[in-house]
Amino acid sequence: MPFNTIFEPFRIHSVEPLKLTTPIERRQALAAAEFNLFSLRSRDVIIDLLTDSGTGAMSRDQWAAIQHGDESYAGSPSWEMFRDAVQNLFPFKHVIPTHQGRAAEKILFSVFGGAGNFIPNNTHFDTTRANIEFTGAVATDLVIDEGLDPQNLHPFKGNLDPIKLEAFITKHGRENVPLIMLTVTNNSGGGQPVSMANMREIREISLRHGIPLYLDACRFAENAWFIREREVEFADWDVADIIREMAALADGMTMSAKKDPLGNIGGWLAMNDDDLAERCRTMLVLTEGFPTYGGLAGRDLEALAVGLTEAVSHDYLRYRIRSTAYLGESLAASGIPVVQPIGGHAVYLDARALLPHLSPLQYPGQSLAIALYEAGGIRGCEIGTVMFGRQPDGTEVAAAMDLVRLAIPRRTYTQSHIDYVIEVCQQVADRSGALPGYRITREPKALRHFTSAFEPIS
Ligand SMILES: *Cc1c(COP(=O)(O)O)cnc(C)c1O
């Protein structure tokens, strides 16, 4: 459309009321949650940007499809709808449905993981890393250096560094690198895309060494839209064709259908290798369910089949990427440091830069996330030293970056909601020098950001 207004390509059909809490109520809620935003009751949150995972609005057609769900234990037509929709975009021979992305990871790494193995990625997502480390294998991030610099304007900051990858394979030995993962878009690195040129380079390395390449493809549609916008070769391509081109470069994939497939739940594992699929299906039956439903109900499979067709609509993707950029650009224009360029599903505030008076081990990201909730009831997510600082050997180190992610649920909030978020962020940034550091008073063995307790350092 030849207008500048960000046009939501839908109108609202069913509304969910939001409760407007007061600062006093929010301070009480924070204390009760021991300053862990994952422990808040969602009804005490006004704008919930904790994650874009499973929080999107389903369409009228998805809700209608739910009524078509066939709950037969084996061979349901809902399974066929789902499988065909997946293979239309990702033509892998075997599609293995799971209840969400981490279940696909758990199965994949029960085959590919194990002590003595080393698994590279541009940046491992937290559940991916945890599932790899749980098997005793080592998860290593090899994103390009530009991807670690929050202000670098490289158009594909999610790229996996081919030189680092070659060195990694040489160092550990090809036989100890069972798999190369590539996360599109690079969620933990700022929602930054991976270029097709990079995927081709990584594919060449994978073929030359005989190491399979798997996509962690949660945000495949957003990644494909960035390729269309930023890689000249693809400027006229249909997004669905770009996605098929991406899939053709890989041996398999893991997926969280709670992201770009526009579902509230779901995931899958897909691959071409028959023997591997057989082993994975055996694990699936142990932990998820029969191979034609995995961890899902027939109705979920139906909703995802429809979601996959909506996710590749150009009108939808243009709106999606533009509205995320609008939030990021507005914050940047008011002097708030954000990861540049703006990613696909989220805006990442650079808490380390905004709170220079705090050292990384005082968790500037946690401090900023808490302040945004207290000031305006906005729930973001620390992506930094709380999430990544604890090493497998028990020591604690600063993460590469200390960010607060404001993830945008798909088709859920309007532009006035986003304008409110901008206002709250500006207010907090104006007094950022007064925000306290935090310490952890209790933490679990793994994935500590979900359940740790915190207290402010006075
Ligand atoms: C969400 C996500 C996962 C895990 O998926 P779940 O459905 O949350 O289990 C894995 N990788 C990436 C990149 C993700 O964003």
Side-chain angles (χ1 to χ4, degrees):
M1 282 209 289
F3 299 100
N4 286 324
T5 307
I6 297 173
F7 192 86
E8 289 106 353
F10 49 81
R11 56 186 182 187
I12 292 164
H13 171 73
S14 172
V15 298
E16 252 184 284
L18 295 175
K19 183 180 131 202
L20 300 179
T21 52
T22 64
I24 292 171
E25 288 171 329
R26 294 195 289 270
R27 276 195 281 277
Q28 286 166 349
L30 274 174
E34 297 176 294
F35 298 96
N36 186 329
L37 301 183
F38 284 97
S39 303
L40 290 171
R41 298 181 305 181
S42 64
R43 63 171 178 270
D44 293 332
V45 176
I46 299 176
I47 305 284
D48 205 344
L49 308 182
L50 183 67
T51 172
D52 63 321
S53 179
T55 52
M58 290 212 297
S59 67
R60 171 194 64 191
D61 294 344
Q62 285 181 288
W63 284 109
I66 281 200
Q67 290 294 335
H68 285 274
D70 180 310
E71 305 301 344
S72 305
Y73 191 89
S76 153
S78 301
W79 151 248
E80 291 172 18
M81 294 274 299
F82 169 81
R83 180 201 56 204
D84 293 351
V86 171
Q87 287 178 331
N88 176 43
L89 294 173
F90 303 97
F92 295 114
K93 192 168 166 197
H94 303 281
V95 178
I96 298 175
T98 59
H99 78 279
Q100 53 183 92
R102 68 198 66 186
E105 293 169 349
K106 166 89 184 147
I107 292 171
L108 185 67
F109 297 119
S110 71
V111 175
F112 277 120
N117 285 313
F118 296 82
I119 299 178
N121 201 332
N122 42 359
T123 311
H124 289 280
F125 183 64
D126 58 353
T127 60
T128 319
R129 171 176 293 280
N131 269 302
I132 291 170
E133 290 174 351
F134 186 75
T135 70
V138 174
T140 305
D141 298 337
L142 300 176
V143 72
I144 56 172
D145 288 343
E146 290 89 335
L148 297 173
D149 171 2
Q151 297 311 315
N152 191 298
L153 290 176
H154 190 290
F156 290 103
K157 286 170 78 173
N159 285 354
L160 201 165
D161 191 325
I163 297 168
K164 290 184 194 168
L165 180 61
E166 282 282 9
F168 180 86
I169 295 169
T170 306
K171 178 173 169 204
H172 296 295
R174 181 263 159 266
E175 63 286 358
N176 299 318
V177 182
L179 182 77
I180 300 166
M181 292 287 289
L182 191 56
T183 306
V184 296
T185 59
N186 190 25
N187 182 2
S188 304
Q192 302 290 334
V194 177
S195 71
M196 192 72 82
N198 184 248
M199 286 184 223
R200 287 172 176 159
E201 251 182 307
I202 300 305
R203 181 51 164 173
E204 190 276 319
I205 294 173
S206 116
L207 289 176
R208 187 153 36 77
H209 292 279
I211 303 173
L213 173 63
Y214 272 63
L215 298 178
D216 177 345
C218 301
R219 297 180 183 77
F220 65 96
E222 293 169 5
N223 199 97
W225 185 258
F226 281 120
I227 287 176
R228 190 174 187 275
E229 285 193 322
R230 297 181 186 173
E231 251 176 314
V232 182
E233 180 187 344
F234 299 96
D236 301 324
W237 281 48
D238 188 88
V239 156
D241 289 324
I242 297 177
I243 293 161
R244 287 186 273 267
E245 187 83 1
M246 288 160 56
L249 294 171
D251 296 289
M253 68 188 295
T254 57
M255 175 64 98
S256 168
K258 305 172 71 169
K259 319 286 173 56
D260 274 0
L262 296 168
N264 298 129
I265 194 71
W268 68 82
L269 175 61
M271 61 201 48
N272 287 325
D273 187 298
D274 295 333
D275 291 339
L276 184 66
E278 175 72 32
R279 290 165 70 192
C280 288
R281 284 206 180 93
T282 304
M283 278 298 292
L284 183 83
V285 174
L286 283 178
T287 60
E288 291 281 294
F290 188 74
T292 61
Y293 70 85
L296 295 168
R299 56 177 172 269
D300 300 323
L301 296 168
E302 293 268 350
L304 292 175
V306 175
L308 281 170
T309 67
E310 296 174 352
V312 296
S313 148
H314 288 201
D315 285 348
Y316 160 68
L317 285 169
R318 184 176 297 110
Y319 141 77
R320 169 80 179 152
I321 299 300
R322 184 70 208 109
S323 59
T324 306
Y326 169 78
L327 170 59
E329 287 164 10
S330 307
L331 295 177
S334 57
I336 298 173
V338 298
V339 174
Q340 299 274 10
I342 307 305
H345 67 292
V347 173
Y348 294 72
L349 312 182
D350 186 346
R352 198 177 286 174
L354 189 62
L355 279 59
H357 60 290
L358 299 183
S359 77
L361 295 186
Q362 295 174 320
Y363 312 134
Q366 188 69 13
S367 175
L368 180 59
I370 290 168
L372 293 175
Y373 175 73
E374 189 182 334
I378 295 163
R379 176 159 66 168
C381 182
E382 193 264 10
I383 307 255
T385 303
V386 173
M387 191 179 270
F388 299 115
R390 184 66 70 196
Q391 303 304 295
D393 68 6
T395 58
E396 190 181 34
V397 299
M401 300 187 266
D402 276 295
L403 306 174
V404 173
R405 183 185 68 185
L406 303 179
I408 317 293
R410 293 172 180 77
R411 307 187 294 200
T412 302
Y413 292 113
T414 65
Q415 203 173 339
S416 11
H417 290 128
I418 297 302
D419 284 332
Y420 170 76
V421 172
I422 293 164
E423 213 183 318
V424 172
C425 289
Q426 286 166 342
Q427 229 186 66
V428 169
D430 285 345
R431 52 180 177 81
S432 57
L435 299 182
Y438 283 80
R439 71 169 70 87
I440 291 180
T441 57
R442 191 181 70 242
E443 77 175 81
K445 282 213 157 49
L447 295 174
R448 65 175 179 170
H449 52 290
F450 287 131
T451 52
S452 286
F454 299 84
E455 68 183 17
I457 302 168
S458 51

